[in-house]
Amino acid sequence: MDLLVISVAALLGLYMAWNIGANDVANSMADAVGSKALSVRNAVILAGICEFAGAVLVGSHVTETVRKGIVDPAAIANLPGLLQGEAAALLVIGMTAALLSAAFWLHFSSYVGMPVSTTHSIVGAVAGFGVVAAGIHSVNWGKMTQIVASWFISPIVGGVLAFICFKFITNFILGQERPARAAKVFVPYIVFVVVSVVTLATVYKGLKHVTGDIKWLTDNVTLLIAFALSLICAIASKLVLNKRLAGKNKLPISAQLEEVEKVFTPLVIISSCSVAFAHGANDVANAVGPLAAIVHVIQTGSIEMKVGVPFWILALGGGGIVIGLATFGHKVMDTVGTKITEITPSRGVAADVAATVTVLICTRMKLPVSTTHTLVGAIMGIGLARGLTGIDRAVARKIFTSWIITVPAAAILAMILFVFGRYFLLEQTRQLILAAGG
């Protein structure tokens, strides 16, 4: 019986991971696809490799039982009048309801092509079941306030940084009388910044779960490695550009701009792959966290704040993300990469760098920001750098609306599913947990 329950929970986790791939992961490659640096097919292959590697190799091997500390399991365990094993049964039903609710919401959003936050979906769903299971006071409203604040902080910061990055590229390279000559001077500086950001993002966002075991890899050493690697790449790019753009400054302006945009193509591919790797390492927990919690309770009969994540669960999450991206990711990729504003390789680099820097800084400050919101804000920033008509305001309004209703929609759906689950499955689940614990 417990094997049947775990199998059903695993299918739900796989469905959630599929939806994460279809919605969230599609964002990470949107700039590379929108700028035509990569075809959709090649973007799916590259993102699949980076996401799976991030999820399985460095994805969290320990996860919180209730994502982001939104609901305290102790509030459920201390409810008065509960029978033996009933608190654990409520948690299993609640996490299942949250997982299913977030997956349904992501599925609907992907179907209509709207990029929404996976984290906000699961957080809203967990809060919804927490309110019904243990009352409104069981929810950590301080955390919820931080999340609401991040709706505004991350897109604005990402947009401002992208605006500044793209203005720099425009003023110092694309807007010059001889852009090919200007590119030879200033692109190495951009290469330095891109390599620094990618290196730091890979370590802090992707490898943070394993760097704790490497004592010599301190913050100072990480910065030193990033600086040295960036300097080497910048010098190498200078040599390559001198050869590649030699004599190009005598071409007509349009031909020079075309050559310069080609220079940015590998940069936008690298920066997009970095976003995909970091995403896999971090957001796989949204799919496997609730699943790991359910499996732990079923197998041990106990409620823990943090539980280990077996390798098969990480692989299940990573595989589901890749399948979701390959089968349904094109809709969101199309919205973010082509409908908000026109993206070229140079604009894609500006957006990716701005988004990654914003997420890195917020992560170090322990602010719960969404990669989706940040990247969309950054793309709007480069659109606004071209003027108010640079972005499609109708598309922007739809995206903002979907962000605002994500948490309440996932919460209400989780409440309904939890009430049904508690009514029909509570006693069976309790008996199962008692058998496991006994």
Side-chain angles (χ1 to χ4, degrees):
M1 182 63 180
D2 56 342
L3 184 61
L4 177 64
V5 175
I6 290 173
S7 299
V8 172
L11 283 176
L12 292 179
L14 184 65
Y15 178 53
M16 178 64 173
W18 181 85
N19 279 295
I20 291 174
N23 197 295
D24 235 16
V25 180
N27 295 317
S28 62
M29 300 305 284
D31 285 335
V33 172
S35 64
K36 297 183 173 52
L38 283 175
S39 64
V40 172
R41 176 176 165 275
N42 290 339
V44 166
I45 293 171
L46 269 180
I49 294 170
C50 294
E51 284 279 344
F52 192 81
V56 176
L57 297 180
V58 294
S60 178
H61 293 274
V62 177
T63 186
E64 296 158 298
T65 50
V66 182
R67 292 295 295 144
K68 304 294 180 186
I70 294 299
V71 174
D72 183 1
I76 298 173
N78 295 328
L79 285 172
L82 291 182
L83 300 173
Q84 186 182 4
E86 194 169 331
L90 287 173
L91 186 65
V92 168
I93 294 171
M95 293 313 296
T96 305
L99 202 56
L100 204 52
S101 165
F104 280 158
W105 175 247
L106 283 171
H107 194 148
F108 171 76
S109 301
S110 300
Y111 179 74
V112 297
M114 286 297 105
V116 298
S117 166
T118 302
T119 303
H120 291 185
S121 302
I122 194 72
V123 161
V126 169
F129 107 76
V131 167
V132 176
I136 198 165
H137 299 297
S138 67
V139 176
N140 186 337
W141 293 108
K143 283 270 186 183
M144 290 298 291
T145 304
Q146 281 186 331
I147 290 170
V148 171
S150 77
W151 289 345
F152 304 97
I153 294 171
S154 57
I156 291 173
V157 174
V160 170
L161 282 179
F163 183 94
I164 294 169
C165 287
F166 187 59
K167 277 292 182 186
F168 174 86
I169 294 172
T170 303
N171 292 338
F172 288 92
I173 301 174
L174 303 179
Q176 292 292 307
E177 287 184 7
R178 294 178 180 176
R181 188 173 66 179
K184 287 194 284 186
V185 176
F186 290 104
V187 167
Y189 292 103
I190 296 170
V191 169
F192 183 91
V193 173
V194 169
V195 175
S196 297
V197 169
V198 166
T199 305
L200 292 174
T202 302
V203 173
Y204 287 129
K205 291 290 287 177
L207 298 174
K208 65 178 182 178
H209 305 301
V210 293
T211 52
D213 297 325
I214 306 174
K215 292 180 180 176
W216 59 265
L217 195 56
T218 61
D219 283 357
N220 288 338
V221 172
T222 301
L223 288 172
L224 192 62
I225 291 173
F227 178 81
L229 195 59
S230 305
L231 191 60
I232 292 168
C233 291
I235 293 170
S237 71
K238 175 73 175 170
L239 298 174
V240 171
L241 288 171
N242 283 343
K243 187 176 178 183
R244 183 169 174 175
L245 296 177
K248 303 289 185 185
N249 58 339
K250 294 176 183 173
L251 296 172
I253 286 284
S254 59
Q256 287 189 54
L257 290 174
E258 199 173 315
E259 291 297 325
V260 171
E261 287 293 349
K262 288 179 185 174
V263 167
F264 283 98
T265 298
L267 293 178
V268 75
I269 293 173
I270 291 169
S271 57
S272 294
C273 286
S274 170
V275 175
F277 178 81
H279 180 274
N282 283 272
D283 283 12
V284 70
N286 287 325
V288 303
L291 172 59
I294 292 168
V295 171
H296 180 80
V297 173
I298 293 294
Q299 289 180 334
T300 67
S302 63
I303 301 175
E304 305 287 346
M305 283 298 287
K306 290 190 175 183
V307 298
V309 182
F311 178 80
W312 72 267
I313 290 183
L314 276 176
L316 182 86
I321 284 173
V322 173
I323 295 169
L325 172 67
T327 56
F328 215 49
H330 61 93
K331 282 178 173 282
V332 170
M333 211 180 279
D334 185 47
T335 299
V336 179
T338 63
K339 291 185 178 175
I340 298 173
T341 189
E342 184 186 350
I343 296 180
T344 60
S346 59
R347 294 170 192 166
V349 169
D352 277 346
V353 168
T356 309
V357 168
T358 304
V359 172
L360 259 181
I361 293 172
C362 290
T363 300
R364 299 295 286 176
M365 294 172 67
K366 300 188 184 304
L367 291 175
V369 296
S370 158
T371 307
T372 300
H373 291 192
T374 311
L375 188 60
V376 170
I379 290 174
M380 288 183 182
I382 59 171
L384 288 172
R386 299 163 52 217
L388 285 175
T389 57
I391 61 171
D392 188 323
R393 279 174 283 184
V395 173
R397 267 197 302 274
K398 284 183 185 175
I399 291 174
F400 285 139
T401 303
S402 68
W403 289 358
I404 290 170
I405 63 176
T406 288
V407 169
I412 291 170
L413 191 53
M415 288 175 177
I416 296 169
L417 291 173
F418 176 73
V419 169
F420 272 96
R422 185 171 60 183
Y423 185 79
F424 289 108
L425 299 172
L426 180 60
E427 184 54 26
Q428 294 93 323
T429 309
R430 190 175 77 84
Q431 292 298 334
L432 191 68
I433 290 168
L434 286 176

